[in-house]
Amino acid sequence: MTIAQVFDYERPETLDEALEILIGHAGDVRVLAGGTDLIAWLRDEAVAPDLVVDIKRIEGLGEIVDEGDALSMGSLVTFTHLLNSEPVAARLPLISEMAATVASTGIRNRATMVGNICSAVPSCDAGPVLLVYGAVVHTVGVAGTRRIPIDEWFLGPRMTALGRGEIVTKVLVPVPPGGHGAAFVRLSRYEGEDLAQASVAILAPPDHRFRVAFGAVADTPVRARRVEALLEGKALDPVLVARAMALVSEEISPITDIRASKEYRLRMSEVMLQRGLKAAVERLEGNGPSYGTNLM
Amino acid sequence: MRMDVSVTVNGEPWLLSVEPNDVLLETLRSKVGVKSPKIGCERGDCGSCTVLLDGHTVRSCLVLSVEADGHEVVTIEGLDDEGLTELQQFFVDMNSFQCGFCAPGIVLAATELLEENPRPTREDVQEAIGGNLCRCTGYDPIIDAVLAAAHAGGEATG
Amino acid sequence: MTTLRPFERESTRGLDFVGKAAVRVDGLEKVSGAARYVDDLDFGPDLLYAEIVESPFANALIKAIDTSAAAAVPGVTKVVTGKDFPFKFGLYMKDRYVFAQDRVRFVGEQVAAVIARDPKVAKRAAKLVEVTYEELPPIFDPLEALKPDSELIHPDLGDYAHVPWFYPHENTNIAHWRKTRKGDVEQGFAQADLVLEGEYRVPRYAHCAIEPHVIVGLYDQSGRLTMWSASQSPYTQRHLFAEALAPLGLSHKDVRVITPYVGGGFGGKAGVSMEIMGAALATAAKGHPVKIRFTREQEFYNTYQRQGLVAHLKMGVKNDGTITAIRHILNWDAGAYVEYGANVVNAAGLSATGPYRVPNVWIDSKCIYTNLPPGGPYRGFGYSEFVFGLESHVDRVAEAIGMDPVAFRRKNAIVEGDILAYGAEMNPSGLIEAIDRTADAIEWGKEETSDDPNKAIGKGFAVFWKAPAMPPNASSASFLKFNEDGSMNISVSGMELGQGYMTAMAQIAGEVLAVPPTKIRVETPDTDRNPYEWQTVASHVTWSCGNAVYAAAVEAREKIFDVVHRVHGYEEESLYLEDESVRSSTDPDFKLPLRDFVIDGLEDTDGTFKGGPIVGSGKFMPEFTSTRSDPETSQGGHPNVHYTVGAAGVVLEVDRETGRMKVKKVALAVDVGKAINPSLIEGQITGGIVQGLATVLYEDMRFGEDGRLLNANFTDYKIPTAHDIPEETIPIIIEIAQPDGPFGARGVGEHTMIPAAPMIGNAIKDALGVRITSMPITAEKVALSVLREKSEE
């Protein structure tokens, strides 16, 4: 197991200390939380920082807090922590459903949801889910705090709105008022651990102002606004859903790579939208498949 | 940049001198001499490097040694001072493993499962060991042993 | 060959250990963490590490190598290139160099190596080795390589040393061409009521043992070379190292190979692949141990891969289902070096009729060089590859004549005494029983439907067979010794890969000597101490080494009876062993514990001692095999010792829209002759089925246009997890004794993978009406095939 490249390592105890280090360092810096992406990238030499800043000692970043009409998740909250959280399961079931599909226990015990959206690979699982929930990313930098709506977070493959010298402190996820049904559907090559070749997150609120977001089929996770507009406020019937499916090719731009072909990704995105909408509405009405059921 | 790391491994405190780019898996194997976590893929895909870090399974190939400072690592050598745990005995008696390379990681994953969920379903076991690749067994004999151990444990505690 | 051994005649009590599901003798070590694999061994602070410099091109001349920058890095002890080791090596053909010489033939081929104190330094310095290449046009398609005007990948093919039963065609890319001709296929096709042709494509696959290859070598100051190797074949490795490094004056006795536990082999750790570099680098660093540990990526692209195949099959049948003729053309993508892989081609070329009675046979099996990683031994050794096409084709033929595909197979199933494609006779085997019991297990004939309108359920069937593919004189030897307390050590050089070989050997010896396997240790190989074993491949060591262990145990027993006779007077014919003691059929009160004398000898009436340490030695080599046959027809030889046969069936649920497949039930019946340990046989069935299913359902090797392997990791080359297993697996063990096997046993390790791909292909056809003739049959392929069919309607 060899990481040949050389870098320094700092482990600040407070946010202020961390920011000082980030600002003060002239070269390439990487923030280390769970490390399940960063360590592999260091070994593969996909990144070449001279300094790695480990934020795991900083207090206050590891909590899930009930803020009333929202839940906030600290940047050090792991996927396991999310999965074990009853408030998350009860009030934001799509996050629980998504968290259970991420990798495996040994990865989830370290990997953080915030790390997932900071790595921002096009197939990142948390992306579509946070998009439909309308999450807000809270950061802190030398210039102060920022609140970045998730719509403005993903800028491109592995590119986010996070600035130099900034650290994410938490993600605030509003709880849709009046209840909701939801579904997170994922295309993978088999039942086992796999990166998504396509994914869709669907939010079905009581007023049927659906929110739909796709992952792994564009440079970033994307909201499917045409589909949303088509479905808004309506009862779903097969004809309407078929029309929605026909719009999918306008919403996404899948590629052919070693994991899947463009054609398969596109066709499956349509199928996933169909199955996801059905499950989300059934769950809204209280008689859907339990969260975590694989619809594919 | 050499750094000192204090880490407890299988109940024993160690003071190690490491570089930031020393991965925990390699440090455990070469500096501490604990051989059960294996090098299989170096990307966190195969699970053969699994250790318990503060009681939770992690892929030690994705942890820097410096991150372990102040923490506790347990591997299968440290599960039981006397010998094998009941779960391990079931694995032996039911011929669960073949080449054995995945065994340490799977033993820890199953140990973690039974501590958190003494009455797992078959699907729970599959999920718990889902990140540990085994090329030899087809997994059934492993899953059977975990369920048998869970069942026996349930009877024992009544 | 069917006479029973004396032991079996006298044994009326049944077997105590053989045939029982004994606990593995290595289980405790592996579950406790005590088991040691090569990378776990410590070699002290003097250990050096090597990093390999690899070719980025699939086909290129090496114009120059500048190692000066790398050599200057502090901590680097040496940099070596091909010039330092201009030695050829190879198992069946010597077509490979330790490091590339004047040209490279696949992306990833080793060109140079940097040896350093610290692996990080080696890794950094390796990047500084500058190699100047002149690119040549690469060939990746075996059919392209066959064209008369194509580039020669091995222009010197005609000069390569090889075993006499290989037929290279110089000035072509055909490294070997096995031709089997029996009867007259044209007449056979003329007699047929139906003739069907088909083409089937099978890509390359990777073994993916969880332990990567690793080698440590020490060429000590006295000139003795010791290698610690994660290998299935310590003796073959020793031989190849000694041969390749012969210019250094090494005698076999001065080369020692030690193999501790191996973390999975599947054929990939047979022969010699990356280990040759370990041996060479050891000699370049005299006095210091040197380690090469392959990364998972290197494991994928620079150790043996399973060859790719383009197969063309033509089958003639009568309306009643009788096969009249088979023509099977096998064009193998064998890779850049075929020193081992050519035997895969050879094996398939002898057996590509499948387990059927076929009067007229034409097989061409061509080993074709391509600019891809070297092909080599992989569980199944060519049989999985050709059985995919054959067993898919059989279903198509049966359908064409309106016959049930299982009934078709049953009708043509080969039985004892039938003449094989190369003229020898088929051994005893229970194929009919396997077919019948498998068909029952999956309720063949009963259609099943799913409640889910998206899902269809199909059933698929396949038969399989395989013979060990070995030189005619592959052999095994065994020592065994008793200890003071009556326990035993068995010394053999077969490799415990996980298959349970050590346990089987203990059960065999224990049965003969009436000692429970729990009191028997089987030692991992060390060529200094353990006697010869050709290799642990071919699913043959239970049979071959089992016979050697049996012989050693019998010899030890003879010595036991001799000393008891000399001191106590009982006739040897009246003596037998029971419960670790010597008993007499003429004196029921006589019970002499072995522990009393197996080291110390027996005290005689006059106070002297007779006997002494009881040791046994045994060997086994088949004396009826021969590769001397007509090169144009393969008639006249007896290349294969015997076949293991079986059948498998699957109940498959498939989602019409997504193509996602779920194996609801799979049954596999295999005739093992005698199950030495039924639990271990079931382990091979369960594990082999899962590995076989993986090759058809989702393992998918992808090469770039430049010949680089794009998915050299588990992130993108998917192997089964605990989620990816059948809902129900039904193992069926059949026992039609192998007359020359220990207690009737024959091998089973590879066979359980072989039927997976065609039975899935046949189940998909049953469920969706779509016939897919290329592997892998992924969800994507199924979904897009269904869509294509729909749009064509």
Side-chain angles (χ1 to χ4, degrees):
Chain A
M1 174 72 220
T2 310
I3 298 178
Q5 59 178 313
V6 175
F7 49 87
D8 286 338
Y9 169 90
E10 298 277 2
R11 193 172 50 212
E13 307 268 332
T14 67
L15 261 181
D16 284 337
E17 219 186 298
L19 292 174
E20 249 184 74
I21 294 169
L22 289 179
I23 296 303
H25 189 83
D28 194 342
V29 191
R30 289 277 163 169
V31 170
L32 170 63
T36 54
D37 281 336
L38 181 60
I39 309 300
W41 290 347
L42 287 170
R43 179 204 166 249
D44 290 344
E45 294 174 17
V47 298
D50 1 80
L51 173 65
V52 166
V53 178
D54 182 351
I55 59 170
K56 291 194 285 295
R57 288 274 170 95
I58 299 173
E59 296 259 342
L61 298 181
E63 271 122 55
I64 298 175
V65 178
D66 187 339
E67 314 252 4
D69 59 353
L71 292 182
S72 77
M73 286 143 225
S75 51
L76 293 180
V77 169
T78 64
F79 281 105
T80 293
H81 188 174
L82 282 173
L83 262 179
N84 292 339
S85 163
E86 279 178 38
V88 172
R91 307 181 74 202
L92 297 170
L94 198 55
I95 291 187
S96 300
E97 185 168 66
M98 176 273 300
T101 69
V102 172
S104 55
T105 50
I107 297 288
R108 291 195 294 263
N109 285 341
R110 287 293 269 187
T112 63
M113 186 172 70
V114 166
N116 190 243
I117 64 169
C118 286
S119 293
V121 296
S123 61
C124 88
D125 293 307
V129 167
L130 294 176
L131 277 174
V132 301
Y133 273 137
V136 180
V137 182
H138 288 228
T139 69
V140 69
V142 140
T145 60
R146 282 212 287 159
R147 283 160 207 233
I148 307 170
I150 194 77
D151 281 355
E152 296 166 27
W153 176 256
F154 296 104
L155 300 181
R158 293 165 63 164
M159 290 192 308
T160 68
L162 190 67
R164 232 198 115 79
E166 254 190 304
I167 295 178
V168 176
T169 52
K170 66 185 183 190
V171 175
L172 188 76
V173 186
V175 176
H180 64 285
F184 178 64
V185 192
R186 217 170 167 271
L187 175 69
S188 57
R189 285 165 284 194
Y190 65 172
E191 305 296 319
E193 184 176 337
D194 194 9
L195 299 172
Q197 284 93 66
S199 62
V200 66
I202 296 166
L203 191 69
D207 59 5
H208 279 211
R209 295 181 71 166
F210 296 96
R211 296 210 206 140
V212 177
F214 286 96
V217 285
D219 282 350
T220 67
V222 287
R223 285 276 292 275
R225 300 208 189 260
R226 289 186 201 91
V227 169
E228 291 176 2
L230 175 73
L231 298 177
E232 186 174 331
K234 302 194 179 93
L236 296 184
D237 65 63
V239 172
L240 183 62
V241 171
R243 284 173 61 203
M245 288 163 70
L247 282 178
V248 170
S249 57
E250 292 174 40
E251 304 277 39
I252 61 177
S253 47
I255 58 168
T256 293
D257 65 13
I258 57 175
R259 295 179 190 142
S261 69
K262 183 172 150 160
E263 193 190 347
Y264 187 60
R265 287 177 142 122
L266 176 57
R267 298 284 152 240
M268 291 307 105
S269 295
E270 295 167 2
V271 171
M272 285 155 59
L273 176 66
Q274 178 186 45
R275 296 185 186 187
L277 281 170
K278 177 170 188 284
V281 168
E282 283 170 358
R283 286 166 180 162
L284 170 69
E285 292 163 1
N287 59 4
S290 55
Y291 283 99
T293 306
N294 187 350
L295 302 176
M296 294 293 272
Chain B
M1 181 189 184
R2 293 214 72 84
M3 299 183 63
D4 283 337
V5 166
S6 296
V7 56
T8 304
V9 181
N10 293 328
E12 202 186 319
W14 283 79
L15 182 64
L16 302 166
S17 173
V18 298
E19 307 262 353
N21 63 6
D22 283 330
V23 175
L24 180 62
L25 173 62
E26 189 60 64
T27 295
L28 287 172
R29 290 173 57 77
S30 57
K31 291 190 158 74
V32 178
V34 170
K35 303 295 184 183
S36 68
K38 306 294 183 203
I39 302 175
C41 73
E42 302 173 62
R43 290 170 65 102
D45 288 327
C46 75
S48 61
C49 68
T50 303
V51 302
L52 294 173
L53 185 62
D54 295 341
H56 299 293
T57 54
V58 300
R59 309 292 178 233
S60 66
C61 73
L62 295 180
V63 179
L64 300 175
S65 308
V66 287
E67 294 179 82
D69 187 31
H71 294 277
E72 243 188 72
V73 173
V74 172
T75 65
I76 59 171
E77 292 93 331
L79 283 181
D80 192 321
D81 285 334
E82 319 277 300
L84 298 183
T85 63
E86 209 178 279
L87 170 66
Q88 282 174 297
Q89 194 60 54
F90 272 95
F91 282 135
V92 172
D93 295 339
M94 293 174 68
N95 283 344
S96 293
F97 293 106
Q98 293 187 25
C99 84
F101 203 74
C102 72
I106 288 190
V107 169
L108 292 179
T111 299
E112 183 185 50
L113 170 72
L114 293 182
E115 263 159 35
E116 291 170 12
N117 180 359
R119 298 243 188 308
T121 62
R122 197 169 190 89
E123 288 70 35
D124 290 333
V125 178
Q126 287 172 290
E127 183 61 46
I129 65 171
N132 295 84
L133 294 178
C134 169
R135 193 54 157 166
C136 299
T137 66
Y139 301 100
D140 268 334
I142 294 171
I143 298 168
D144 289 343
V146 178
L147 291 173
H151 187 69
E155 282 170 2
T157 59
Chain C
M1 278 223 276
T2 49
T3 47
L4 289 175
R5 293 190 181 82
F7 179 84
E8 279 136 339
R9 276 204 297 274
E10 88 200 21
S11 171
T12 52
R13 288 166 19 249
L15 299 168
D16 291 318
F17 308 118
V18 165
K20 306 291 196 297
V23 167
R24 299 178 65 105
V25 301
D26 56 339
L28 177 58
E29 280 179 85
K30 288 172 175 173
V31 173
S32 66
R36 287 287 174 264
Y37 304 81
V38 173
D39 195 54
D40 300 334
L41 304 175
D42 286 317
F43 293 89
D46 195 26
L47 180 64
L48 297 170
Y49 298 84
E51 184 78 20
I52 312 300
V53 178
E54 297 163 345
S55 167
F57 299 114
N59 195 11
L61 299 175
I62 299 174
K63 306 302 281 182
I65 306 182
D66 184 352
T67 60
S68 52
V73 172
V76 168
T77 55
K78 200 152 189 184
V79 184
V80 302
T81 69
K83 284 200 184 38
D84 298 304
F85 305 103
F87 313 133
K88 280 234 204 47
F89 77 97
L91 180 60
Y92 293 104
M93 171 132 85
K94 308 227 180 289
D95 72 345
R96 200 163 178 187
Y97 283 99
V98 179
F99 289 94
Q101 297 293 299
D102 54 330
R103 62 187 284 180
V104 289
R105 295 178 168 90
F106 68 97
V107 177
E109 179 168 7
Q110 61 266 32
V111 171
V114 173
I115 307 174
R117 283 268 154 227
D118 180 334
K120 299 178 207 167
V121 168
K123 191 171 171 183
R124 282 198 290 273
K127 287 199 251 200
L128 301 177
V129 173
E130 280 182 39
V131 187
T132 311
Y133 296 97
E134 184 185 305
E135 283 182 73
L136 300 170
I139 306 175
F140 303 126
D141 181 345
L143 300 182
E144 281 298 313
L146 282 179
K147 293 191 177 153
D149 53 341
S150 65
E151 276 270 319
L152 291 182
I153 295 174
H154 283 261
D156 297 331
L157 175 61
D159 298 334
Y160 292 166
H162 58 86
V163 293
W165 36 285
F166 276 9
Y167 312 114
H169 288 235
E170 61 179 309
N171 300 315
T172 73
N173 285 314
I174 300 171
H176 172 44
W177 186 335
R178 167 57 62 188
K179 299 177 182 174
T180 297
R181 313 274 185 263
K182 176 184 162 200
D184 181 338
V185 286
E186 290 311 324
Q187 223 183 76
F189 291 132
Q191 285 163 6
D193 295 318
L194 178 103
V195 175
L196 184 69
E197 292 191 61
E199 186 180 275
Y200 302 91
R201 287 178 176 259
V202 180
R204 290 162 161 260
Y205 288 94
H207 305 75
C208 299
I210 309 300
E211 179 205 27
H213 281 62
V214 55
I215 183 83
V216 180
L218 170 63
Y219 185 52
D220 72 20
Q221 284 88 347
S222 75
R224 179 148 221 227
L225 177 65
T226 304
M227 309 296 303
W228 291 262
S229 184
S231 168
Q232 300 177 220
S233 315
Y235 267 93
T236 286
Q237 289 209 332
R238 185 182 77 160
H239 181 60
L240 289 175
F241 294 153
E243 270 196 331
L245 301 174
L248 297 178
L250 289 170
S251 147
H252 282 68
K253 71 163 180 34
D254 296 327
V255 180
R256 179 183 187 190
V257 179
I258 298 170
T259 50
Y261 285 114
V262 170
F266 312 105
K269 292 183 179 143
V272 168
S273 59
M274 55 79 81
E275 299 88 350
I276 195 70
M277 292 191 282
L281 294 182
T283 66
K286 189 167 187 178
H288 310 280
V290 182
K291 176 191 282 200
I292 307 174
R293 183 213 296 132
F294 260 17
T295 64
R296 178 54 58 182
E297 287 80 9
Q298 287 171 309
E299 188 69 18
F300 269 102
Y301 62 70
N302 196 7
T303 63
Y304 293 124
Q305 292 187 352
R306 197 177 96 170
Q307 286 86 344
L309 173 64
V310 180
H312 194 97
L313 190 51
K314 181 171 177 179
M315 187 181 285
V317 294
K318 302 206 79 69
N319 281 328
D320 70 353
T322 312
I323 299 175
T324 61
I326 288 180
R327 169 155 46 221
H328 208 163
I329 312 295
L330 305 165
N331 289 316
W332 296 89
D333 155 22
Y337 301 97
V338 304
E339 47 87 25
Y340 202 138
N343 201 31
V344 171
V345 173
N346 194 69
L350 294 168
S351 303
T353 56
Y356 296 115
R357 184 172 38 254
V358 185
N360 302 295
V361 177
W362 175 295
I363 304 172
D364 277 326
S365 191
K366 281 171 252 157
C367 179
I368 304 163
Y369 282 121
T370 56
N371 290 115
L372 290 171
Y378 180 116
R379 190 179 192 178
F381 216 70
Y383 285 70
S384 294
E385 297 90 302
F386 77 72
V387 166
F388 169 65
L390 180 68
E391 286 299 284
S392 301
H393 202 74
V394 159
D395 257 37
R396 295 171 70 191
V397 167
E399 189 188 30
I401 59 172
M403 187 170 182
D404 174 87
V406 172
F408 181 97
R409 290 175 168 91
R410 207 178 185 287
K411 184 177 181 65
N412 291 287
I414 198 164
V415 299
E416 184 180 356
D418 280 340
I419 304 301
L420 298 160
Y422 46 83
E425 277 185 29
M426 180 63 187
N427 52 281
S429 73
L431 182 56
I432 304 281
E433 187 185 341
I435 291 172
D436 290 341
R437 288 175 67 180
T438 301
D440 274 342
I442 61 163
E443 295 182 282
W444 180 261
K446 178 167 160 223
E447 214 183 286
E448 289 182 41
T449 52
S450 173
D451 294 331
D452 185 333
N454 279 328
K455 297 192 161 84
I457 297 184
K459 293 188 183 179
F461 205 92
V463 294
F464 60 90
W465 74 342
K466 182 179 182 288
M470 313 184 287
N473 54 359
S475 62
S476 307
S478 168
F479 298 142
L480 66 79
K481 68 176 178 73
F482 275 97
N483 302 309
E484 289 85 332
D485 62 349
S487 66
M488 280 164 50
N489 294 73
I490 300 178
S491 176
V492 282
S493 294
M495 215 32 241
E496 175 59 70
L497 306 173
Q499 80 282 53
Y501 154 79
M502 281 165 55
T503 307
M505 296 304 105
Q507 287 177 262
I508 288 169
E511 190 68 54
V512 175
L513 291 165
V515 174
T518 46
K519 292 186 79 165
I520 303 177
R521 276 194 60 90
V522 181
E523 305 308 325
T524 52
D526 174 338
T527 57
D528 267 9
R529 310 210 167 137
N530 304 37
Y532 184 84
E533 170 60 57
W534 173 63
Q535 299 197 73
T536 298
V537 296
S539 311
H540 89 290
V541 288
T542 297
W543 173 74
S544 176
C545 195
N547 278 332
V549 168
Y550 185 99
V554 165
E555 184 182 278
R557 190 180 60 181
E558 282 163 7
K559 293 179 182 177
I560 287 167
F561 290 168
D562 173 68
V563 68
V564 170
H565 164 71
R566 284 198 288 144
V567 173
H568 289 283
Y570 298 104
E571 291 305 313
E572 274 146 292
E573 295 74 46
S574 79
L575 294 171
Y576 63 97
L577 294 172
E578 181 181 70
D579 287 339
E580 306 180 66
S581 306
V582 186
R583 307 299 306 272
S584 165
S585 60
T586 57
D587 178 359
D589 293 328
F590 182 71
K591 186 169 180 173
L592 178 63
L594 292 173
R595 65 193 300 149
D596 284 359
F597 67 95
V598 285
I599 294 289
D600 295 334
L602 270 178
E603 191 173 357
D604 210 336
T605 45
D606 61 359
T608 60
F609 285 83
K610 304 291 187 280
I614 302 292
V615 298
S617 69
K619 58 104 178 142
F620 179 79
M621 186 184 78
E623 292 187 345
F624 60 92
T625 39
S626 152
T627 52
R628 280 218 206 139
S629 64
D630 184 336
E632 291 302 313
T633 63
S634 299
Q635 301 302 311
H638 193 140
N640 291 326
V641 294
H642 53 254
Y643 287 86
T644 295
V645 302
V650 68
V651 181
L652 184 71
E653 179 189 79
V654 56
D655 185 315
R656 288 176 228 274
E657 287 184 314
T658 64
R660 289 288 286 270
M661 290 164 277
K662 189 171 279 195
V663 174
K664 310 286 285 174
K665 189 189 286 196
V666 59
L668 189 148
V670 59
D671 180 0
V672 301
K674 174 72 184 174
I676 304 291
N677 184 325
S679 139
L680 300 179
I681 306 285
E682 286 181 14
Q684 291 307 294
I685 292 175
T686 306
I689 285 174
V690 170
Q691 191 175 4
L693 289 172
T695 61
V696 62
L697 295 176
Y698 37 79
E699 284 185 34
D700 193 357
M701 216 176 247
R702 300 290 186 101
F703 288 91
E705 285 181 10
D706 58 354
R708 191 171 62 91
L709 179 57
L710 299 174
N711 55 341
N713 53 61
F714 291 134
T715 306
D716 283 316
Y717 185 91
K718 307 308 287 183
I719 69 171
T721 71
H723 293 288
D724 302 293
I725 57 181
E727 282 177 19
E728 191 186 347
T729 301
I730 302 169
I732 300 165
I733 297 175
I734 294 174
E735 295 176 305
I736 308 291
Q738 179 59 35
D740 59 359
F743 299 96
R746 68 173 81 80
V748 67
E750 297 167 273
H751 307 70
T752 54
M753 269 195 76
I754 297 171
M759 79 183 173
I760 292 291
N762 292 338
I764 290 289
K765 175 71 166 71
D766 186 41
L768 301 177
V770 167
R771 169 59 65 184
I772 296 177
T773 56
S774 70
M775 282 170 69
I777 301 177
T778 57
E780 173 172 329
K781 206 180 252 186
V782 171
L784 296 182
S785 296
V786 170
L787 278 172
R788 250 189 298 275
E789 291 250 329
K790 263 207 203 127
S791 69
E792 279 159 19
E793 272 160 22

